[in-house]
């Protein structure tokens, strides 16, 4: 068997090599392009990308500073337009769950002068959809005004229709939001677009002064919590930043927080259209930041209301030394920020945004991350109640609506698979070890659908990267929207999660995983095509050692993700799933192609080698399988007998006859044996005994044996 270990070692070595070669050999221009870290953080944006390509005619550019972040392009001394990086302004994930990083140019009249996609992670754009289609899509904005309304699809008098990219609708819907929302922010900042005028809030006195708990319960104050993991800091068991905030103009809230005198003094300083917010904070992070000292601008906080962004200067800040509300939380920092723009109205919902800086420890790359808390005074706290607002529809809702039919089929398919498996006793009772059609054919059909439709068309191959993302979300910020963007992955994971605890991971791994299905299908086909005599299992003692490798890979990736998610995602390429289904082998560089070919090639001779020894996802699912509710049937004689162990391609039946449910892929081969009264030794013995005694054979559960009911002549042999 050393040949198998050599093959496995070769595969792993190749994998390590291809990780090193990945950036240099990427075939597509913007797909996972390597961008300099400074592009996201350095003041001189245009030193790290060619800004002139999106603002032709500009001779020099300013640095980016303040909020929102953009640079101004000059010809001579005259400002001719603005250039901005989408991720400086908006955080909208596309199909891949990551943003399409876009450089946008706009002249001083608000006309788009150029748009370039610098980086995307959209595998769908590599599957027969050339990247030039995305370039053509963003080219449609050229010469049009930021004041216009853009919609993917057909336009009308008020809307500019944009040609979608067939097969990549989600990507272009997200990209349209990225471009328009980013441009609107800059246009409002520089005065091209007028901020929306909202009626001033009319506050309603609630009477008795509430204590802190009552304010929280009523929803009059909001909380914004940032965990250390969110900003790449070591876990201290405490939030990195814990902010509480509210609108002081409201007489009840203002008097509760400042006391009657303090509130009257504050109101006397404000003009009628001005709004004051109090903010208190605890934790190692600071919401005031150092920008206040440097340039008189608070660079860590801002307020957003629809597309309007409001920032604060030193003149918009007042000290706040204490809070009057009983039971208020302890705080380290406090202050009052004044929104002086008449377009802002506290009657409408708004977001208080904290802008953090996260450094990826492994790559050194800095990333800006926004955290926000929504504030909207309670309905009963406003004269006439809350005004009607039309919030923009979340992109995931449109995706679910557009894919409703496929989602319906997908759910139906999963239900059929689960139902089929739930009938395993009946199915395995119909089969014999010489004729396994009743068990084999349903699986062949499900495998084919999984490979072609789920993997190839829906690209819904679950992956360890999903587990890492959830793991991170659980310990930092859980965002349903991030997971809802891909309905198939979302539904699939719920199915996996539920069936994992009911039957174990085998239903997914053995019946539904697109790559696992492909691997086993390749093995079965190779056997049928004459390679059976070369097909082998690893010796059980060696297998029992090698199976732990995948658990090592799983824990290594999870640990690495705590250190650097970027690096963990690169190493997650140990799963050939991306090459197989998301990107396609023909779209990848040769090391990935070779790794894919080796894994699949070994699968022709060894049953599911990747699943048994390498797959971190399989390992991650195997661990909770320990707690599955329903195991497979065993007889008391199974221990000493072990005859069915030779049927187990997963080598999951131990020397004592027990099934290792973590390794079992629920192929049901052993169950066919278990029910076959011409194969299972104790059953053969029992059948013969009963036949001899002229007894009827009994159905399941009667006395621990399963013998199909069939009339047997008492003189039958
Ligand atoms: S072990 Fe991995 S590749 Fe194999 S079936 Fe399970 S998840 Fe899929
Ligand atoms: S033969 Fe092995 S993998 Fe298949 S159901 Fe039985 S124990 Fe599980």
């Amino acid at each position: 068997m050393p040949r198998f270990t050599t093959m496995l070692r070769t595969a792993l070595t190749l994998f390590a090599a291809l990780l090193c070669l990945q950036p240099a050999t990427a075939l597509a221009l913007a797909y996972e392009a390597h961008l300099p870290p400074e592009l996201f953080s350095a003041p001189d944006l245009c030193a790290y990308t060619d800004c002139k390509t999106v603002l032709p005619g500009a001779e020099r550019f300013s640095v980016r500073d303040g909020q929102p972040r953009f640079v101004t392009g000059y010809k001579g001394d005259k400002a001719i337009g603005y250039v901005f990086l989408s991720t400086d302004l908006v955080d909208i994930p596309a199909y891949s769950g990551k943003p399409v990083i876009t450089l946008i140019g706009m002249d001083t009249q608000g006309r788009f002068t150029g748009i370039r996609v610098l980086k995307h992670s959209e595998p769908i754009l590599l599957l027969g959809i050339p990247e030039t289609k995305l370039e053509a899509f963003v080219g449609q904005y050229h010469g049009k005004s930021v004041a216009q309304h853009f919609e993917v699809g057909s336009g009308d008098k008020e809307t500019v229709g944009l040609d979608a990219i067939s097969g990549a609708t989600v990507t272009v819907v997200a990209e349209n939001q990225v471009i328009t929302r980013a441009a609107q922010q800059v246009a409002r900042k520089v005065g091209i677009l007028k901020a929306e005028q909202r009626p001033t809030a009319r506050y309603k006195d609630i009477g008795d002064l509430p204590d802190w708990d009552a304010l929280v319960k009523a929803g009059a104050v909001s909380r914004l919590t940032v965990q250390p993991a969110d900003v790449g800091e070591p876990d201290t068991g405490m939030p990195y930043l814990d902010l509480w905030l509210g609108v002081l103009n409201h007489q009840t809230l203002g008097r509760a927080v400042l006391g009657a005198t303090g509130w009257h003094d504050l109101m006397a300083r404000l003009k009628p259209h001005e709004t004051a917010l109090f903010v208190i904070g605890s934790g190692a992070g600071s919401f005031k930041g150092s920008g206040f000292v440097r340039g008189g601008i608070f660079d860590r906080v801002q307020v957003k209301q629809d597309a309007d962004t409001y920032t604060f200067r030193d003149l918009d800040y007042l000290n706040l030394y204490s809070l009057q509300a009983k039971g208020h939380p302890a705080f380290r920092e406090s202050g009052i920020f004044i929104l002086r723009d008449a377009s802002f109205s506290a009657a409408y919902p708004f977001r208080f945004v904290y802008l953090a800086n996260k450094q990826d420890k492994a790559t050194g790359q800095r990333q800006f991350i926004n955290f926000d808390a929504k504030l909207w005074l309670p309905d009963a706290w406003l004269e006439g109640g809350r005004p009607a607002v039309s919030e923009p529809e979340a992109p995931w809702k449109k995706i679910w609506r557009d894919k409703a039919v496929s989602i319906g089929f997908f759910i139906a398919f999963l239900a059929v698979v689960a139902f089929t498996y739930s009938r395993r006793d009946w199915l395995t009772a119909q089969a014999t070890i010489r004729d396994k059609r009743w068990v084999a054919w349903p699986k062949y059909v499900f495998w084919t659908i999984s490979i072609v439709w789920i993997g190839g068309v829906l690209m819904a191959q679950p992956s360890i990267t999903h587990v890492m993302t959830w793991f991170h979300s659980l310990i930092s910020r859980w965002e349903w929207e991030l997971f809802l963007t891909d309905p198939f992955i979302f539904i699939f994971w719920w199915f996996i999660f539920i069936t994992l605890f009911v039957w174990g991971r085998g239903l997914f791994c053995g019946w539904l995983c697109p790559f696992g299905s492909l691997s086993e299908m390749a093995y079965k086909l190779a056997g049928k095509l004459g390679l059976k005599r070369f097909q082998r299992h690893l010796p059980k003692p060696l297998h029992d050692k090698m199976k732990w490798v995948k658990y090592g890979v799983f824990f290594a990736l999870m640990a690495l993700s705590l250190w650097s998610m970027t690096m963990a995602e690169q190493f997650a390429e140990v799963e050939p799933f991306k090459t197989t289904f998301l990107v396609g082998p023909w779209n990848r560089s040769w090391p990935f192609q070779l790794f894919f070919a080796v894994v699949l090639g070994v699968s022709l001779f060894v049953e599911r080698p990747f699943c048994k020894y390498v797959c971190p996802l399989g390992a991650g699912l195997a661990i909770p399988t320990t707690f599955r509710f329903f195991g497979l049937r065993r007889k008391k004689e199974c221990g000493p007998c072990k005859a069915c162990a030779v049927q187990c391609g997963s080598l999951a039946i131990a020397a004592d006859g027990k099934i290792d449910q973590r390794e079992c892929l629920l192929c049901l081969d052993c169950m066919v044996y278990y029910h076959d009264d011409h194969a299972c030794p104790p059953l053969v013995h029992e059948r013969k005994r009963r036949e001899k005694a002229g007894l009827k054979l009994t159905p399941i559960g009667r006395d621990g044996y399963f013998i199909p009911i069939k009339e047997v002549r008492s003189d039958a042999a």
Side-chain angles (χ1 to χ4, degrees):
M1 287 297 144
R3 230 176 31 214
F4 295 121
T5 32
T6 312
M7 280 195 277
L8 196 70
R9 211 178 306 130
T10 311
L12 289 172
T13 314
L14 280 169
F15 171 69
L18 70 84
L19 274 181
C20 304
L21 286 163
Q22 181 191 10
T25 51
L27 293 184
L29 293 174
Y31 178 72
E32 292 290 0
H34 180 72
L35 299 176
E38 295 84 355
L39 180 73
F40 302 95
S41 54
D44 191 358
L45 168 73
C46 301
Y48 299 95
T49 185
D50 190 357
C51 292
K52 289 180 185 169
T53 54
V54 295
L55 189 62
E59 292 163 352
R60 65 184 175 87
F61 293 91
S62 68
V63 293
R64 58 180 169 191
D65 210 354
Q67 287 293 337
R69 285 152 52 95
F70 64 91
V71 301
T72 307
Y74 293 90
K75 186 168 187 177
D77 288 337
K78 191 176 170 223
I80 63 162
Y82 313 97
V83 175
F84 38 97
L85 193 64
S86 60
T87 43
D88 276 350
L89 297 145
V90 290
D91 181 16
I92 300 173
Y95 183 86
S96 60
K98 294 180 185 171
V100 174
I101 300 174
T102 312
L103 190 72
I104 304 161
M106 182 172 72
D107 67 17
T108 50
Q109 308 300 306
R111 285 184 299 258
F112 290 102
T113 51
I115 297 175
R116 262 175 56 217
V117 173
L118 302 185
K119 176 176 177 175
H120 71 85
S121 308
E122 304 293 274
I124 199 150
L125 287 175
L126 298 175
L127 273 182
I129 303 174
E131 219 170 75
T132 48
K133 293 244 180 190
L134 187 57
E135 285 167 25
F137 175 80
V138 298
Q140 297 179 81
Y141 295 83
H142 196 97
K144 299 200 173 69
S145 168
V146 64
Q148 292 174 284
H149 186 66
F150 297 87
E151 274 288 352
V152 175
S154 56
D156 53 32
K157 262 193 265 167
E158 286 158 17
T159 308
V160 179
L162 299 165
D163 294 335
I165 302 176
S166 177
T169 320
V170 176
T171 307
V172 292
V173 165
E175 182 65 345
N176 181 41
Q177 290 194 342
V178 165
I179 293 169
T180 51
R181 288 198 198 171
Q184 282 169 3
Q185 282 191 39
V186 176
R188 290 199 175 166
K189 179 74 183 173
V190 298
I192 296 171
L193 290 181
K194 292 251 175 305
E196 193 180 320
Q197 292 303 312
R198 302 172 184 89
T200 309
R202 290 185 298 123
Y203 306 105
K204 189 167 164 187
D205 199 343
I206 301 302
D208 287 346
L209 289 186
D211 62 10
W212 186 265
D213 283 346
L215 292 174
V216 174
K217 211 167 164 190
V221 291
S222 292
R223 188 180 195 177
L224 170 55
T225 308
V226 180
Q227 297 299 338
D230 293 337
V231 287
E233 293 290 327
D235 188 12
T236 55
M238 307 273 291
Y240 172 76
L241 190 63
D242 195 5
L243 300 182
W244 287 97
L245 49 140
V247 177
L248 286 173
N249 293 53
H250 194 286
Q251 50 273 58
T252 308
L253 179 57
R255 280 186 285 129
V257 172
L258 301 178
T261 315
W263 181 71
H264 281 295
D265 287 351
L266 174 69
M267 288 300 106
R269 298 175 71 154
L270 297 184
K271 294 191 178 122
H273 64 268
E274 291 178 341
T275 307
L277 304 178
F278 83 89
V279 184
I280 58 169
S282 59
S286 164
F287 67 81
K288 292 183 187 171
S290 54
F292 168 62
V293 182
R294 274 206 318 268
I297 292 175
F298 288 89
D299 58 356
R300 296 200 182 170
V301 292
Q302 57 183 223
V303 163
K304 287 193 175 184
Q305 193 159 45
D306 295 334
D308 298 320
T309 304
Y310 305 94
T311 50
F312 303 102
R313 302 186 67 83
D314 48 1
L315 294 174
D316 307 322
Y317 173 79
L318 296 173
N319 285 322
L320 172 66
Y321 297 109
S322 63
L323 258 63
Q324 301 300 314
K326 280 203 191 95
H328 69 76
F331 55 90
R332 191 175 64 79
E333 273 187 330
S334 56
I336 296 173
F337 292 103
I338 301 169
L339 288 141
R340 301 198 189 274
D341 200 308
S343 65
F344 177 83
S345 171
Y348 291 80
F350 62 95
R351 293 185 174 275
F352 186 84
V353 184
Y354 173 70
L355 300 122
N357 217 316
K358 179 179 180 179
Q359 185 163 24
D360 188 303
K361 294 192 188 85
T363 60
Q365 205 160 319
R366 292 190 84 76
Q367 225 188 318
F368 286 93
I369 321 176
N370 293 351
F371 302 91
D372 60 44
K374 182 178 174 183
L375 276 87
W376 197 2
L377 280 166
D379 194 58
W381 289 44
L382 290 164
E383 290 290 356
R386 286 173 165 176
V389 289
S390 56
E391 301 235 14
E393 191 184 39
W396 68 265
K397 289 188 184 163
K398 182 170 169 44
I399 296 167
W400 280 68
R401 214 177 30 246
D402 289 353
K403 295 178 183 275
V405 176
S406 301
I407 290 172
F409 279 118
F410 186 59
I411 293 172
F413 173 65
L414 296 180
V416 168
V417 175
F419 176 76
T420 308
Y421 179 75
S422 73
R423 307 290 298 145
R424 60 194 173 281
D425 279 327
W426 184 82
L427 284 171
T428 48
Q430 312 309 308
T432 65
I433 59 161
R434 270 184 284 304
D435 180 4
K436 292 185 186 164
R437 267 177 299 178
W438 282 94
V439 174
W441 277 102
K443 277 195 294 173
Y444 294 161
V445 172
F446 298 151
W447 286 348
T448 309
I449 294 173
S450 292
I451 298 165
V452 178
W453 188 52
I454 299 181
V457 178
L458 302 180
M459 292 197 278
Q461 165 73 60
S463 157
I464 190 66
T465 54
H466 300 140
V467 181
M468 293 192 300
T469 309
W470 295 334
F471 179 57
H472 272 250
S473 297
L474 271 178
I475 57 176
S476 53
R477 263 199 314 172
W478 185 267
E479 284 180 85
W480 281 106
E481 292 222 353
L482 183 67
F483 306 118
L484 286 163
T485 316
D486 190 327
F488 303 105
I489 291 288
F490 184 83
I491 294 165
F492 213 170
W493 269 108
W494 272 109
F495 177 85
I496 294 167
F497 186 74
I498 293 167
T499 56
L500 193 64
F501 288 101
V502 179
W503 293 307
R505 66 137 168 165
L507 187 62
F508 166 69
C509 285
W511 294 56
L512 281 166
C513 172
F515 189 83
S517 305
L518 180 68
S519 179
E520 189 158 352
M521 198 83 140
Y523 180 79
K524 298 261 187 244
L525 279 174
K528 293 266 179 260
L529 294 174
L531 295 180
K532 202 165 194 76
R533 60 209 156 107
F534 302 113
Q535 293 181 327
R536 300 278 187 282
H537 294 312
L538 285 194
K540 188 80 167 74
L542 181 58
H543 164 85
D544 285 341
K545 287 197 182 87
M546 294 288 292
K547 71 182 180 188
W548 296 107
V549 172
K550 62 178 176 291
Y551 295 97
V553 177
F554 170 73
F555 284 113
L557 281 173
M558 297 306 279
L560 185 60
S561 73
L562 289 176
W563 173 254
S564 163
M565 194 62 182
T566 314
M567 218 173 205
E569 279 183 359
Q570 283 175 344
F571 273 87
E573 291 265 11
V574 72
E575 296 174 332
F577 305 164
K578 198 165 163 184
T579 305
T580 312
F581 298 111
L582 300 186
V583 181
W586 52 90
N587 277 315
R588 300 221 78 180
S589 49
W590 69 264
F592 286 97
Q593 293 170 336
L594 189 59
F595 181 62
F596 165 77
V598 168
V599 172
L600 212 59
V602 177
S603 302
L604 301 176
F605 304 98
V606 182
E607 190 176 324
R608 291 191 183 229
F610 178 78
C611 301
K612 281 183 191 142
Y613 309 119
V614 186
C615 183
L617 177 61
L621 298 178
I623 296 165
T625 292
T626 311
F627 309 106
R628 92 254 166 273
F629 205 71
F630 296 109
L632 294 171
R633 289 178 182 279
R634 304 301 280 157
K635 306 182 184 85
K636 59 184 184 305
E637 289 88 349
C638 287
C641 167
K642 299 190 288 286
C644 63
V646 290
Q647 298 290 313
C648 182
S650 296
L651 305 181
I653 303 180
D656 60 2
K658 285 201 181 120
I659 294 176
D660 180 349
Q661 300 288 349
R662 286 177 295 272
E663 298 301 315
C664 167
L665 299 187
L666 297 179
C667 71
L668 300 183
D669 283 352
C670 62
M671 289 293 100
V672 172
Y673 210 96
Y674 175 97
H675 289 148
D676 190 339
D677 54 11
H678 286 77
C680 171
L683 219 50
V684 171
H685 177 77
E686 179 66 9
R687 175 179 57 81
K688 286 186 176 165
R689 185 186 72 75
R690 293 185 190 197
E691 284 170 357
K692 213 167 176 181
L695 296 170
K696 272 187 178 178
L697 300 182
T698 57
I700 191 162
R702 188 70 57 87
D703 51 8
Y705 289 94
F706 181 95
I707 299 177
I709 302 177
K710 49 187 175 186
E711 293 295 334
V712 187
R713 288 203 326 268
S714 58
D715 58 345

